[in-house]
């Protein structure tokens, strides 16, 4: 009887985990959308809902998600960023976001600073995660 | 829909529940998006003031006054024909304002009382002051008679002859050519007949540092860019260190022109009379009619001479030194000690407006809309009516002034104003048009 109860509970937790994962995706998608809207027109969204509230929501989803993931022994394959199909989308998104924040610069200055910033980010990523892998 | 957690497999019995819960989650997310979009496209701002509890922290309308005493009506008491004034400063563009007045239990009915609304800036509502003249330290010459003047201690002092000017070392280019009629806004002072002592407010440059002579001492400007917000570079007489023997340097510093917008790190301040007012947020900055291009980036040394004040919010009037321009007549005004002093001559305007003035509209002070209060259906103490704001959209300003003349002796408990934009395709297109214009003008 008690074994059955545990099995049902675990599945319920799995269900909650999956829903939290979906909620996290939606919250992150919303956060990215707000960042885009804010970079196009500062104050457009944050005058209605502050970024802090969105960040608190994300953290509130993340905490039980991590807790459940750890207790349910859910693991993921390590993603190879170089082979990730979504990488070009993230690079393009970052490029547009950084470029947009430098609109007051001339086109060439903007282009060079944006590329340099992305390059620095890439180096930092390599430095941190290569060291971890070793 | 893509599944991010494919490896987490649910038993069949829970699959359907998961799909339903997931659909609800997505609908909830969609609802949030629609809600935010609604808030952006059709903004609503509710403001209230409790007259029987004027110190309440929930009051977010500015404290009302009655025009007879220019003071807050104690306990909300109004006499017949008293006019109650209240100001609301919501941020945004609105199509209508619903005004609700709640009378006290023993107060008489204010049914059919007229409520008027107008739109401008709080500081632009200040009473008209004396016309302003040229600022101290300005060097002037008239084309007609070739006379030379300096504005010193607010007075216009004429140089008796050109020899004195040469001996003092005033640069010829520093004298601004004006019409004789432009000089009438400065009081006439004693003529300068000898070159013994420099007249007060003369400007000097010593080792690339700028100074202004006041009370026999040289007051240093905190930086060259601070000096340039007040005067042109040519206005200063070049001297060397020996000059300090005759006129010692003062410890008191001079800063940027009053009303200048400055920034340090990510903070924007309005500086005025050696005080700095931190602007609360970008929405406040835009709502107060300021221009992002007018901000001057300054350093720690430059900001250190200013005394920090409380945050500048959209409920505060513009500080002294702010310049307004009427969008219809191009008439300029400068805010000074709760008056609005007109600047009636173009050369005077040029000496003041080193930065773009705030656009205002004199017509907006008078022209507004009105409505008649009617008793609410289920609340005998509440009186309400709707004020259309469409006609005022062309008037710049964040300050809506409500004026209500009481037909009888009465007492009021609460004033409420709800600014809103009705949900219509037309209003949505207007809101989208405004967003588009803001993006283009970035």
């Amino acid at each position: 009887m008690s074994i059955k109860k545990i099995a049902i509970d675990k599945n319920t937790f799995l269900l909650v985990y999956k829903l939290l994962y979906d909620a996290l995706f939606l919250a992150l998608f919303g956060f990215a959308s707000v960042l885009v809207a804010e970079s196009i027109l500062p104050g457009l969204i944050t005058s209605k809902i502050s970024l802090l509230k969105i960040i608190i929501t994300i953290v509130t989803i993340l905490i039980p998600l991590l807790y459940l993931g750890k207790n349910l022994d859910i693991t993921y394959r390590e993603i190879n960023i170089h082979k990730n199909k979504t990488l070009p989308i993230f690079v393009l998104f970052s490029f547009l976001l950084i470029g947009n924040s430098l609109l007051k610069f001339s086109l060439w200055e903007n282009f060079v600073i944006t590329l340099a910033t992305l390059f620095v980010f890439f180096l930092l990523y390599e430095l941190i995660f290569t060291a971890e892998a070793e | 829909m893509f599944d991010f957690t494919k490896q987490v497999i649910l038993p069949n019995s829970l699959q359907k529940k998961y799909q339903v819960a997931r659909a609800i989650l997505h609908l909830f997310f969609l609802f949030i998006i629609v809600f935010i979009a609604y808030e952006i496209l059709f903004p609503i701002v509710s403001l209230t003031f409790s007259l029987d509890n004027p110190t309440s922290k929930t009051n977010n309308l500015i404290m009302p006054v009655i025009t007879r005493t220019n003071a807050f009506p104690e306990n909300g008491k109004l006499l017949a024909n008293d006019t109650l004034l209240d100001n609301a400063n919501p941020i945004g563009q609105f199509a209508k304002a619903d005004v609700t007045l709640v009378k006290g239990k023993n107060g008489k009915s204010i049914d059919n009382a007229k409520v008027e609304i107008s739109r401008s800036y709080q500081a632009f509502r200040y009473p008209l002051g004396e016309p302003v003249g040229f600022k101290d330290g300005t060097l002037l010459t008239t084309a007609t008679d070739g006379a030379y003047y300096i504005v010193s201690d607010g007075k216009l002092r004429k140089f008796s002859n050109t020899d004195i000017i040469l001996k003092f070392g005033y640069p010829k280019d520093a004298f601004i050519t004006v019409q004789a009629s432009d000089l009438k806004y400065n009081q006439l002072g004693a003529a300068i007949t000898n070159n013994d002592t420099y007249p007060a407010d003369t400007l000097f440059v010593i080792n690339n540092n700028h100074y202004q002579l006041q009370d026999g001492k040289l007051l240093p400007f905190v930086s060259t860019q601070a000096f340039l917000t007040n005067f042109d570079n040519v206005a200063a007489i070049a001297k060397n260190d020996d000059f300090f023997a005759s006129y010692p340097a003062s410890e008191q510093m001079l800063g940027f022109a009053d009303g200048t917008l400055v920034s340090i790190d990510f903070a924007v301040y309005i500086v005025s009379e050696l005080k700095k007012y931190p602007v609360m947020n970008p929405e406040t900055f835009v709502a107060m009619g300021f221009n992002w291009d007018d901000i001057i980036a300054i350093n720690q040394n430059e900001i250190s001479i200013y005394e920090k004040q409380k945050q500048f919010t959209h409920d505060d009037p513009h500080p002294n030194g702010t310049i307004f321009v009427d969008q219809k007549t191009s008439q300029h005004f400068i805010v000074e000690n709760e008056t609005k002093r007109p600047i009636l001559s173009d050369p005077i305007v040029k000496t003041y407006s080193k930065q773009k003035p705030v656009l205002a509209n004199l017509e907006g002070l008078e022209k507004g809309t009105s409505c008649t209060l009617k008793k609410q259906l289920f609340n005998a103490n509440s009186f309400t009516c709707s004020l259309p704001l469409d006609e005022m959209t062309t008037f710049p300003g964040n300050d809506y002034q409500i004026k209500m003349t009481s037909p009888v002796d009465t007492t009021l408990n609460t004033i409420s104003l709800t600014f809103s934009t009705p949900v219509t395709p037309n209003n949505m297109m207007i809101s989208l048009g405004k967003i588009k214009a803001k993006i283009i003008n970035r």
Side-chain angles (χ1 to χ4, degrees):
Chain A
M1 187 71 180
S2 63
I3 293 168
K4 193 183 172 189
K5 190 170 183 265
I6 290 164
I8 291 167
D9 282 347
K10 190 182 175 185
N11 284 331
T12 310
F13 283 133
L14 285 174
L15 172 74
V16 173
Y17 179 87
K18 280 173 84 75
L19 284 173
L20 281 172
Y21 208 105
D22 288 331
L24 179 68
F25 169 74
L26 291 175
L28 287 173
F29 177 75
F31 186 62
S33 307
V34 170
L35 280 184
V36 172
E38 283 294 306
S39 63
I40 293 168
L41 191 59
L44 180 67
I45 311 282
T46 48
S47 61
K48 308 294 168 195
I49 180 167
S50 72
L51 283 178
L52 183 69
K53 281 180 187 162
I54 304 173
I55 291 167
I56 289 171
T57 308
I58 292 170
V59 173
T60 313
I61 296 168
L62 265 178
I63 292 168
L65 190 71
L66 289 170
Y67 178 80
L68 283 176
K70 199 177 173 186
N71 282 281
L72 295 169
D73 281 336
I74 298 168
T75 53
Y76 292 89
R77 274 187 299 112
E78 201 170 299
I79 298 167
N80 185 346
I81 194 170
H82 301 290
K83 291 179 184 172
N84 195 327
K85 286 175 190 170
T86 55
L87 181 67
I89 299 169
F90 281 110
V91 172
L92 182 69
F93 178 71
S94 311
F95 187 86
L96 292 175
L97 212 58
I98 299 167
N100 182 62
S101 68
L102 301 167
L103 271 186
K104 296 281 174 192
F105 285 84
S106 71
L107 185 66
W108 279 108
E109 284 170 340
N110 189 330
F111 194 70
V112 170
I113 297 169
T114 307
L115 278 182
T117 311
L118 279 177
F119 185 64
V120 170
F121 283 163
F122 173 73
L123 286 181
L124 275 173
Y125 177 87
E126 287 287 306
L127 205 68
I128 294 163
F129 290 97
T130 313
E132 256 185 18
E134 281 169 3
Chain B
M1 281 193 285
F2 39 93
D3 187 355
F4 298 105
T5 49
K6 278 178 189 164
Q7 67 274 45
V8 181
I9 298 159
L10 290 172
N12 286 339
S13 59
L14 283 179
Q15 277 292 349
K16 199 174 176 185
K17 281 184 185 173
Y18 170 61
Q19 292 303 335
V20 171
R22 201 180 185 206
I24 292 169
L25 185 72
H26 281 79
L27 278 175
F28 178 69
F29 183 72
L30 192 69
F31 171 77
I32 293 172
I33 293 173
V34 170
F35 177 74
I36 294 171
Y38 172 79
E39 287 273 302
I40 293 167
L41 296 174
F42 310 104
I44 294 174
V45 176
S46 293
L47 304 166
T48 59
F49 193 93
S50 170
L51 283 93
D52 50 1
N53 191 6
T55 54
S56 169
K57 283 186 179 173
T58 56
N59 290 338
N60 46 12
L61 268 174
I62 292 174
M63 190 178 274
V65 292
I66 41 176
T67 51
R68 178 173 47 86
T69 57
N70 201 28
F72 174 72
E74 283 304 319
N75 303 317
K77 277 185 185 169
L78 298 182
L79 299 179
N81 297 321
D82 266 355
T83 299
L84 186 80
L85 285 183
D86 202 356
N87 294 60
N89 304 308
I91 289 181
Q93 293 285 349
F94 304 96
K96 70 165 185 156
D98 293 316
V99 56
T100 304
L101 298 176
V102 181
K103 72 173 182 67
K105 277 180 187 170
N106 301 321
K108 286 182 187 167
S109 168
I110 47 168
D111 208 15
N112 291 324
K114 193 179 172 189
V115 179
E116 292 169 80
I117 193 166
S118 63
R119 185 184 182 190
S120 188
Y121 291 105
Q122 267 193 81
F124 200 62
R125 293 188 193 279
Y126 284 154
L128 213 59
E130 288 290 309
V132 70
F134 289 97
K135 63 164 78 172
D136 288 346
T138 310
L139 297 165
L140 302 163
T141 180
T142 47
T144 44
D145 60 0
Y148 290 87
Y149 302 88
I150 182 168
V151 183
S152 173
D153 286 335
K155 289 180 178 170
L156 193 68
R157 297 187 66 188
K158 187 179 179 181
F159 291 99
S160 298
N161 56 63
T162 48
D163 281 351
I164 297 171
I165 297 169
L166 291 171
K167 281 173 185 166
F168 272 138
Y170 286 106
K172 202 182 172 189
D173 297 347
F175 288 87
I176 302 164
T177 306
V178 297
Q179 300 297 319
S181 58
D182 297 325
L183 303 175
K184 65 184 175 195
Y185 304 108
N186 285 89
Q187 212 183 331
L188 208 59
I192 300 163
T193 52
N194 60 58
N195 61 333
D196 295 343
T197 53
Y198 278 96
D201 298 311
T202 300
L203 302 162
F204 298 96
V205 56
I206 305 167
N207 298 332
N208 291 325
N209 296 316
H210 291 83
Y211 299 85
Q212 188 166 33
L213 184 66
Q214 285 179 22
D215 299 324
K217 286 187 174 179
L218 293 171
L219 272 64
F221 280 89
V222 69
S223 66
T224 301
Q225 69 170 349
F227 173 82
L228 291 175
T229 60
N230 288 285
F231 302 99
D232 290 326
N233 212 8
V234 290
I237 303 169
K239 293 283 178 188
N240 55 32
D241 286 336
D242 300 342
F243 194 63
F244 290 121
S246 313
Y247 297 97
S250 168
E251 285 182 7
Q252 193 190 330
M253 300 282 256
L254 296 172
F256 293 82
D258 288 345
T260 302
L261 299 164
V262 299
S263 75
I264 182 157
D265 299 330
F266 292 105
V268 173
Y269 298 89
I270 310 166
V271 292
S272 177
E273 297 172 319
L274 293 180
K275 290 173 184 158
K276 58 180 177 186
Y277 301 84
V279 179
M280 189 168 79
N281 53 29
E283 290 76 46
T284 302
F285 186 90
V286 173
M288 299 310 276
F290 294 128
N291 193 325
W292 294 108
D293 294 334
D294 284 347
I295 299 174
I296 300 169
I298 64 168
N299 58 37
Q300 203 61 48
N301 181 45
E302 290 171 309
I303 199 77
S304 65
I305 66 164
Y306 291 98
E307 186 190 336
K308 192 170 179 179
Q309 304 296 301
K310 72 175 183 67
Q311 269 197 333
F312 181 78
T313 72
H314 55 277
D315 281 335
D316 294 315
H318 292 76
N320 281 354
T322 304
I323 294 170
F324 287 105
V325 60
D326 176 37
Q327 63 182 171
K328 200 171 180 185
T329 60
S330 296
Q331 164 97 64
H332 286 67
F333 299 88
I334 187 164
V335 175
E336 197 178 300
N337 301 329
E338 299 196 357
T339 60
K340 175 179 74 190
R341 297 184 68 183
I343 311 176
L344 298 173
S345 122
D346 283 343
I348 303 177
V349 169
K350 278 179 194 164
T351 61
Y352 277 95
S353 56
K354 297 282 180 195
Q355 61 186 52
K356 276 187 204 163
V358 174
L359 203 62
N361 195 313
L362 282 170
E363 206 183 331
L365 295 173
E366 303 298 329
K367 196 178 171 185
T369 53
S370 64
C371 66
T372 308
L373 288 172
K374 295 285 173 202
K375 196 185 285 181
Q376 274 189 339
L377 197 57
F378 298 111
N379 190 345
N381 289 332
S382 283
F383 300 85
T384 188
C385 67
S386 281
L387 293 153
L389 305 177
D390 298 330
E391 289 173 28
M392 286 182 273
T393 50
T394 52
F395 299 144
N398 73 321
D399 181 68
Y400 290 92
Q401 189 172 69
I402 312 294
K403 200 190 278 185
M404 193 278 292
T405 304
S406 175
V408 288
D409 292 359
T410 190
T411 53
L412 292 179
N413 272 358
T414 317
I415 304 173
S416 303
L417 274 166
T418 304
F419 291 87
S420 61
T421 313
V423 185
T424 61
N426 190 35
N427 283 335
M428 190 176 78
M429 293 313 289
I430 291 170
S431 290
L432 288 172
K434 281 170 189 163
I435 291 169
K436 184 184 166 189
K438 280 182 191 170
I439 293 170
I440 292 167
N441 294 329
R442 256 185 76 191

